[in-house]
Amino acid sequence: MAKKSTMKLWLLWIVASLGAAGAFGYVMFEAGDKTVFMPGPLSNGHHQLADACDSCHTDPLGGGEVLQQACIDCHGEERVKPHDSHPRTKFKDPRNADRLEKINALQCVSCHVEHRPEITRKNGVTQPVDVCYHCHVDVGENRPSHVGMAFDTCANSGCHNFHNNRALYTDFLVKHMDDADLSDKPKVPLREFGSVIDEIMEYPRDHYPVEPLTLADKDAPPEFAADEEIDRDWLETAHAKAGVNCSACHQPRDAQGELTAWVDKPGVEGCNSCHNHEVARFKLGKHGMRLAADLSPMRPDMARLPMNDKAAHAELTCNSCHGGHRFDAAYAAVDACLACHNDEHSVAYEASPHAELWQAEVGGKADAGTGVSCATCHMPRIDFDVNDWMSRKLVDHNQSATLSPNSKMIRPACLHCHGLGFSIDALADQSLIDNNFTGRPSRHVESLDLARADQERYLREKAEAAQ
Amino acid sequence: MKQHSRKNMIALTLLGAVATATGVSVAEDVADKPMISPKTMADALHLVMDSDRTVYTQKIVNRLAKKEKVITASEHFEDEKALVLPAQMFRFGSELVAKRAEKLPDVKFSYSLQSMWPVNKQNAPKTEAEKAGLKFVADNKGQNYYTVEELGGTKYFTAVYADTAVAPVCVSCHNDHKDTPRRDFKLGDVMGGVVIRIPVEG
């Protein structure tokens, strides 16, 4: 009797196990939603992709190499362009094999583990705070100014970043150590897309020659062609003036160059044929990364930052900020942001000195490029290599690129108007960030002082040697 | 005569085809046959590296920066709108090789420029072979240093070649650099060495 009962229990256990394995197997290989396997919440940088596990886990059975490739696919370019100071190739060199044994710097996950909120710090880093010690223990021998510094202070804002030190390397600090807080002619570069169209190989000039169009040239099918407001917006803005007809956005051409079916409300694909770099950069940032993963557009109610309740369900595509036919860049640069963002920094913008400058510019009382909008800092106009041979000023629609560490914002944004020391101090002052830079920095980062001391020592030694 | 000629043509064509096929087949055999020792390969690699770098130093940097004075060369070449320094060009090449070689499983070698008096302290000798090799090439002008070492569980044939100050710009730049530990280099001095590593079995 007892034997029979045991057999039954075994049978039940086997059937239950097989059922559970089958169910999990189905979810892993077939089902769209795989969140049942999620080991913990995602970091702030990736939480928008919580319902798209296969964005990173591209192969259900893949190991570390699959995850590494996923990191590179999205972040690879960001590592290369600013001249990564710790590139992979440095650690591939056999002479650094001993260093790899301590920290496997070839793998992004060595410092950026996902699904571990309990150990995730600012900038998505999860390694110990004194990680620099392993390779730079003797830094004091070459930099007397660094003797006695604790190794958990290296990456403080304004001193060093692991990857991007373009605004923080010693000679740059020396070059800018006497900068005034505010430059004589504070002004950001102007947009230049219209003037470089002739140099853009992929621009569809065969179908849309760069010549002004009139209402008579409009090529929308008759059933979509009778809206005076749309006509006016189109004619008064850059598209009609540059020969961009209705079909350019509403009927993106296929690989053979043939017009596709009319799309009444085109998504980012409508913009992509001319503004491909803007779209690609948009998809790399927090605004567009869901589109890159073939998910529905990002909405404010999915955000972790405070957002306006009224905009909770607004979907983020190009048209969210640029409108359908007026695509007003001035609206997109401030009003569009504030329609959703409701955190302390955003709310404080309108009463800030930056906003005052912006109002003067859009009101025609100051030169173009002298105002400071949200986009001035968060979507700066950068020198972007559109290919191996050409660079142009691009409005960087990856607004996450300079967010963390925030010292990445210094060169593309702050330095157009402010000195380096002022910028470093301002970005290290959380209360100043919160009130949207109304006032002066109350924090001081010593990096410039250390560079000055090193420079003075070098000049003194050089003078002594000359004598 | 005409027919005879046609037969000859056919025979010649066939002969040519056979010869070509044999040639290709022989070439394939030879191409895969291991004939080059690690030392010869390292010497050949160094010859190319050294020649390219010498050409860049003499015909571009020294000519344009020193003789014709139309542009400067700077460590911060982008910010200064200047030429890449010869040592940087060498390092960028080395990094590009490392990156491209990752996709070529049969191509396994690495190289770097190092010195007992490095401007960048990360380029100081680290392994025993590097320390011995850099000292040897500095003390024995004209001679190379060859050894075998094990790093990270892999055995490497390691060759060290002297890196000599061939142009006045090499000397002035190194002697004046803020971070240099030595300021008395002269033209013709050994300033460091090129280290080439090739993994070997056994």
Side-chain angles (χ1 to χ4, degrees):
Chain A
M1 186 66 187
K3 234 180 193 178
K4 263 190 181 172
S5 161
T6 309
M7 280 286 285
K8 270 185 189 169
L9 278 174
W10 270 109
L11 203 63
L12 189 67
W13 181 82
I14 289 168
V15 170
S17 297
L18 285 175
F24 280 121
Y26 173 78
V27 173
M28 181 180 277
F29 293 101
E30 293 296 329
D33 182 1
K34 298 179 172 61
T35 46
V36 65
F37 292 112
M38 193 177 289
L42 282 160
S43 65
N44 289 340
H46 293 148
H47 75 90
Q48 297 93 329
L49 303 178
D51 47 350
C53 305
D54 52 7
S55 295
C56 299
H57 302 273
T58 52
D59 177 351
L61 301 177
E65 72 288 352
V66 167
L67 293 176
Q68 176 66 16
Q69 190 56 48
C71 303
I72 298 298
D73 286 345
C74 290
H75 298 281
E77 196 182 345
E78 296 303 316
R79 297 275 64 83
V80 175
K81 294 286 182 190
H83 308 294
D84 192 352
S85 40
H86 290 85
R88 181 180 165 81
T89 49
K90 193 171 273 182
F91 295 95
K92 283 287 282 184
D93 192 327
R95 69 194 301 263
N96 284 323
D98 59 327
R99 288 176 171 164
L100 279 186
E101 282 172 11
K102 292 170 192 159
I103 307 159
N104 186 358
L106 295 175
Q107 300 293 324
C108 302
V109 293
S110 298
C111 297
H112 301 280
V113 181
E114 258 303 350
H115 304 290
R116 297 287 303 278
E118 70 279 12
I119 58 166
T120 304
R121 302 194 312 279
K122 210 174 169 188
N123 309 325
V125 293
T126 50
Q127 88 281 25
V129 289
D130 59 351
V131 69
C132 310
Y133 170 85
H134 295 291
C135 295
H136 299 283
V137 60
D138 58 354
V139 64
E141 290 174 21
N142 309 311
R143 288 271 185 276
S145 54
H146 286 51
V147 171
M149 286 185 179
F151 277 91
D152 59 357
T153 63
C154 311
N156 283 358
S157 178
C159 289
H160 302 282
N161 292 334
F162 186 84
H163 295 293
N164 180 337
N165 282 297
R166 285 186 69 223
L168 304 172
Y169 67 82
T170 308
D171 287 350
F172 193 75
L173 297 176
V174 169
K175 187 177 171 183
H176 292 274
M177 63 188 179
D178 295 319
D179 283 354
D181 290 352
L182 186 65
S183 73
D184 292 342
K185 293 177 183 168
K187 194 172 182 179
V188 298
L190 299 182
R191 284 172 288 138
E192 63 171 19
F193 184 71
S195 58
V196 298
I197 282 178
D198 288 345
E199 298 173 52
I200 299 173
M201 291 274 284
E202 62 271 24
Y203 187 82
R205 58 180 63 75
D206 289 351
H207 302 294
Y208 305 102
V210 187
E211 294 162 3
L213 298 173
T214 65
L215 203 56
D217 298 316
K218 194 170 76 166
D219 69 353
E223 62 269 34
F224 299 105
D227 188 314
E228 283 181 16
E229 191 182 343
I230 290 175
D231 289 347
R232 192 173 58 247
D233 285 349
W234 176 62
L235 286 168
E236 287 177 357
T237 51
H239 279 166
K241 288 174 184 158
V244 181
N245 218 320
C246 311
S247 64
C249 309
H250 289 275
Q251 293 177 273
R253 290 174 188 267
D254 62 19
Q256 284 73 43
E258 298 298 324
L259 285 175
T260 54
W262 179 270
V263 183
D264 201 23
K265 291 186 183 300
V268 294
E269 294 75 20
C271 312
N272 196 51
S273 54
C274 295
H275 301 282
N276 54 332
H277 295 294
E278 286 84 350
V279 170
R281 298 288 300 169
F282 172 74
K283 286 184 175 180
L284 284 173
K286 291 185 180 182
H287 283 170
M289 61 198 285
R290 282 181 60 85
L291 293 177
D294 291 327
L295 297 170
S296 60
M298 179 67 183
R299 295 191 317 262
D301 65 349
M302 298 174 184
R304 287 183 178 175
L305 286 173
M307 296 284 163
N308 282 326
D309 290 341
K310 282 183 204 162
H313 305 297
E315 292 196 330
L316 248 169
T317 67
C318 305
N319 290 148
S320 314
C321 303
H322 289 289
H325 295 89
R326 188 146 278 275
F327 53 87
D328 184 349
Y331 173 83
V334 172
D335 301 329
C337 314
L338 297 179
C340 297
H341 286 269
N342 198 28
D343 56 284
E344 202 175 344
H345 171 77
S346 303
V347 171
Y349 170 77
E350 287 185 318
S352 73
H354 282 163
E356 202 175 315
L357 293 166
W358 176 248
Q359 289 304 330
E361 180 183 334
V362 295
K365 294 175 187 159
D367 290 344
T370 56
V372 185
S373 65
C374 307
T376 304
C377 304
H378 293 286
M379 292 191 184
R381 295 160 189 181
I382 58 172
D383 290 314
F384 187 78
D385 293 338
V386 293
N387 55 45
D388 285 343
W389 316 107
M390 184 189 161
S391 179
R392 73 170 169 91
K393 285 271 177 288
L394 182 87
V395 175
D396 189 359
H397 283 66
N398 175 3
Q399 88 298 339
S400 307
T402 53
L403 275 182
S404 76
N406 66 12
S407 49
K408 289 197 291 187
M409 192 179 279
I410 293 174
R411 288 193 65 160
C414 313
L415 284 194
H416 292 302
C417 304
H418 292 286
L420 181 59
F422 181 87
S423 305
I424 290 174
D425 288 349
L427 289 173
D429 185 343
Q430 188 57 47
S431 60
L432 195 62
I433 294 171
D434 289 342
N435 72 22
N436 214 304
F437 305 104
T438 303
R440 294 186 54 78
S442 59
R443 271 206 62 190
H444 178 58
V445 178
E446 283 183 86
S447 54
L448 224 66
D449 306 333
L450 300 177
R452 187 188 298 278
D454 276 341
Q455 180 68 5
E456 285 171 355
R457 177 178 52 83
Y458 161 67
L459 293 175
R460 200 167 50 242
E461 286 173 4
K462 201 177 167 186
E464 285 167 6
Q467 285 172 0
Chain B
M1 178 68 186
K2 201 176 176 184
Q3 200 172 2
H4 192 68
S5 168
R6 190 177 296 157
K7 270 185 185 169
N8 278 354
M9 283 289 286
I10 292 167
L12 273 173
T13 307
L14 282 172
L15 197 65
V18 171
T20 307
T22 314
V24 169
S25 142
V26 168
E28 278 175 0
D29 285 350
V30 172
D32 290 333
K33 193 173 174 183
M35 288 173 69
I36 298 176
S37 68
K39 178 173 173 295
T40 308
M41 181 179 156
D43 286 351
L45 287 171
H46 176 253
L47 195 60
V48 176
M49 293 168 195
D50 196 53
S51 300
D52 283 352
R53 184 144 160 264
T54 302
V55 169
Y56 180 71
T57 307
Q58 289 179 344
K59 302 228 184 274
I60 297 178
V61 178
N62 204 61
R63 179 174 67 86
L64 295 174
K66 191 86 176 172
K67 285 160 70 180
E68 299 177 8
K69 295 184 172 53
V70 293
I71 189 170
T72 55
S74 166
E75 179 183 351
H76 311 299
F77 51 92
E78 286 193 328
D79 285 344
E80 309 292 337
K81 315 289 180 214
L83 291 172
V84 170
L85 295 174
Q88 287 178 306
M89 202 202 82
F90 190 84
R91 183 162 62 81
F92 293 153
S94 157
E95 286 175 359
L96 189 57
V97 163
K99 194 175 166 193
R100 295 167 80 175
E102 282 196 69
K103 292 174 184 159
L104 301 168
D106 292 336
V107 179
K108 294 174 185 166
F109 73 97
S110 63
Y111 63 98
S112 56
L113 189 58
Q114 292 164 40
S115 174
M116 293 192 289
W117 313 278
V119 167
N120 179 345
K121 301 302 175 288
Q122 297 297 323
N123 296 327
K126 262 184 73 187
T127 71
E128 290 308 313
E130 289 173 354
K131 288 173 188 166
L134 288 177
K135 185 165 183 342
F136 180 87
V137 297
D139 293 345
N140 301 274
K141 263 194 169 178
Q143 291 187 56
N144 308 325
Y145 179 83
Y146 304 103
T147 190
V148 174
E149 62 180 332
E150 191 170 316
L151 299 169
T154 304
K155 198 170 269 187
Y156 294 91
F157 171 76
T158 300
V160 183
Y161 304 85
D163 196 55
T164 308
V166 293
V169 284
C170 310
V171 173
S172 58
C173 187
H174 274 262
N175 283 347
D176 289 345
H177 199 285
K178 185 162 59 177
D179 294 329
T180 187
R182 181 177 162 182
R183 301 187 186 280
D184 61 350
F185 284 115
K186 296 184 296 297
L187 208 58
D189 278 355
V190 172
M191 304 178 89
V194 173
V195 179
I196 300 178
R197 284 194 176 86
I198 300 166
V200 288
E201 291 174 359

